[in-house]
Structures are given as structure tokens and as C-alpha cells.
């Protein structure tokens, strides 16, 4: 499905609101987790110039996060809950904003160019942590309260959508 790009000069709140509408239209009727998460990552990564690595780490085992889907250079494949900014977000089940990664004890440097980071939890309606969304920027202090609010609003929709549309596994 083709759609118009979101104008780069839109203020962040309007850009996030429009991006949410794009994602809602794109994933309508699709319950496959990877298809939905990949679409979210693609829309975010190609909309915001300050997003240099954009991706999910999914909860794949007890206290373990596994990368994907993502866009950007290659990310660490697995992150335990007791490591990094992603682990901190998974433990707290709350958004973590890091204005300067060098000031965050235990930050995992997947890329030497990363200067700031935001990690947002994807929490199912039943309260279970499904994944975290990690966004890294090469710009210092790149993420503000508009990014936090926009990403939390988006992931709230994604959690509701996946819970409502998840298809039963059907093998061809
Ligand atoms: N910086 C993250 C690790 C993931 S990569 O940056 C893609 C962290 O500290 O958890």
C-alpha cells in the first residue's frame, strides 16, 4: 500500500498523530506479530531524522530479550533483563529516556555513534511485557516528552491491536 510521506517540518506531536493513523491503516486486519512490528519500525525509522537505529527486542524467554524486527546497523542479538537500557525498561515496564548514553551505567553500545536513546515497553492488555522498542540517535539528547508520548501512544495501539487480531497459527 502506497501512502504519502509525513512532512518533515511537522511538529512532533502532529507527526506522531499522523504516523499512528498510517500504522492503523497499514496493519488493519493483520494480526501477525512480526508483520505488525516490522511495519511500525519501518514507519518510525523513515519518518524521523533523529532515529538512527529503530527496533524491537521481544521477550523470548524468561528475563531474555531477542532482537527484531529492526532497521539500522546490526544490533546485539540478545539482551538479558539485567543488562543495558533495554533491560532496565523491561524490568521497570516503563519508558527509559537516556539523554547521554555515556552517563547511563551498563549501557550496551551496539554502535559507537549512538549518543542518546529511548526505550518504551510494549505491554499486552493483560499486563504481560511482550517487547521493548529501542530507538538510538547519533544526536545528543534527541528524545523529549513528545517522543515519549508519541511512542507510548503508538505502542498502546499496537498492544491492543495484536491482542484483538492475533490469528490462530494455521500451517499451509
Ligand atoms: N543500547 C541498548 C542495546 C541495544 S542497541 O543499542 C541496538 C541497551 O543499552 O540496552
Amino acid at each position: 500500500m502506497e501512502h504519502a510521506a509525513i512532512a518533515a517540518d511537522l511538529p512532533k506531536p502532529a507527526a506522531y498523530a499522523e504516523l499512528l493513523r498510517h500504522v492503523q491503516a497499514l496493519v488493519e486486519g493483520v494480526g501477525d506479530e512480526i508483520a505488525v512490528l516490522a511495519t511500525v519500525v519501518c514507519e518510525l525509522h523513515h519518518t524521523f531524522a533523529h532515529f538512527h537505529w529503530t527496533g524491537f527486542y521481544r521477550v523470548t524467554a524468561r528475563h531474555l530479550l531477542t532482537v527484531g524486527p529492526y532497521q539500522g546497523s546490526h544490533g546485539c542479538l540478545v539482551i538479558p533483563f539485567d543488562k543495558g537500557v533495554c533491560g532496565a525498561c523491561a524490568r521497570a515496564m516503563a519508558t527509559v529516556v537516556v539523554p547521554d548514553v555515556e552517563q547511563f551505567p551498563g549501557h550496551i553500545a551496539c554502535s559507537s555513534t549512538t549518543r542518546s536513546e529511548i526505550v518504551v515497553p510494549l505491554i499486552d492488555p493483560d499486563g504481560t511485557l511482550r517487547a521493548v522498542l529501542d530507538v538510538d540517535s547519533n544526536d545528543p539528547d534527541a528524545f523529549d516528552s513528545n517522543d515519549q508520548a508519541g511512542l507510548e501512544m503508538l505502542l498502546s495501539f499496537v498492544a491492543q491491536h495484536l491482542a484483538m487480531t492475533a490469528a490462530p497459527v494455521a500451517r499451509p
Side-chain angles (χ1 to χ4, degrees):
M1 172 182 147
E2 280 294 326
H3 60 85
I6 296 170
D9 57 354
L10 271 186
K12 279 183 188 176
Y16 277 107
E18 196 169 337
L19 188 144
L20 175 60
R21 287 193 290 276
H22 283 196
V23 168
Q24 287 171 330
L26 287 164
V27 304
E28 193 179 346
V30 178
D32 180 85
E33 180 187 58
I34 298 299
V36 171
L37 299 187
T39 300
V40 168
V41 167
C42 177
E43 289 296 303
L44 286 171
H45 196 74
H46 294 281
T47 294
F48 293 111
H50 60 303
F51 283 34
H52 296 114
W53 192 96
T54 312
F56 284 96
Y57 279 91
R58 288 163 296 110
V59 179
T60 50
R62 188 173 152 75
H63 294 168
L64 190 73
L65 299 163
T66 302
V67 76
Y70 70 94
Q71 297 215 4
S73 57
H74 77 79
C76 316
L77 271 69
V78 293
I79 299 179
F81 273 32
D82 62 352
K83 298 271 191 285
V85 186
C86 291
C89 172
R91 287 197 306 277
M93 290 179 60
T95 298
V96 181
V97 180
V98 181
D100 177 356
V101 295
E102 288 178 13
Q103 302 303 316
F104 188 96
H107 166 258
I108 302 167
C110 291
S111 160
S112 60
T113 57
T114 298
R115 290 287 164 266
S116 59
E117 176 163 357
I118 184 170
V119 187
V120 183
L122 174 58
I123 301 169
D124 286 340
D126 69 0
T128 308
L129 182 70
R130 182 188 286 264
V132 301
L133 172 68
D134 179 20
V135 186
D136 296 350
S137 182
N138 295 343
D139 307 328
D141 199 10
F143 304 104
D144 59 19
S145 57
N146 290 315
D147 293 289
Q148 178 169 351
L151 292 173
E152 288 177 351
M153 180 177 65
L154 178 63
L155 292 198
S156 167
F157 161 74
V158 171
Q160 296 285 341
H161 174 80
L162 288 174
M164 284 169 49
T165 55
V169 177
R171 303 286 173 207

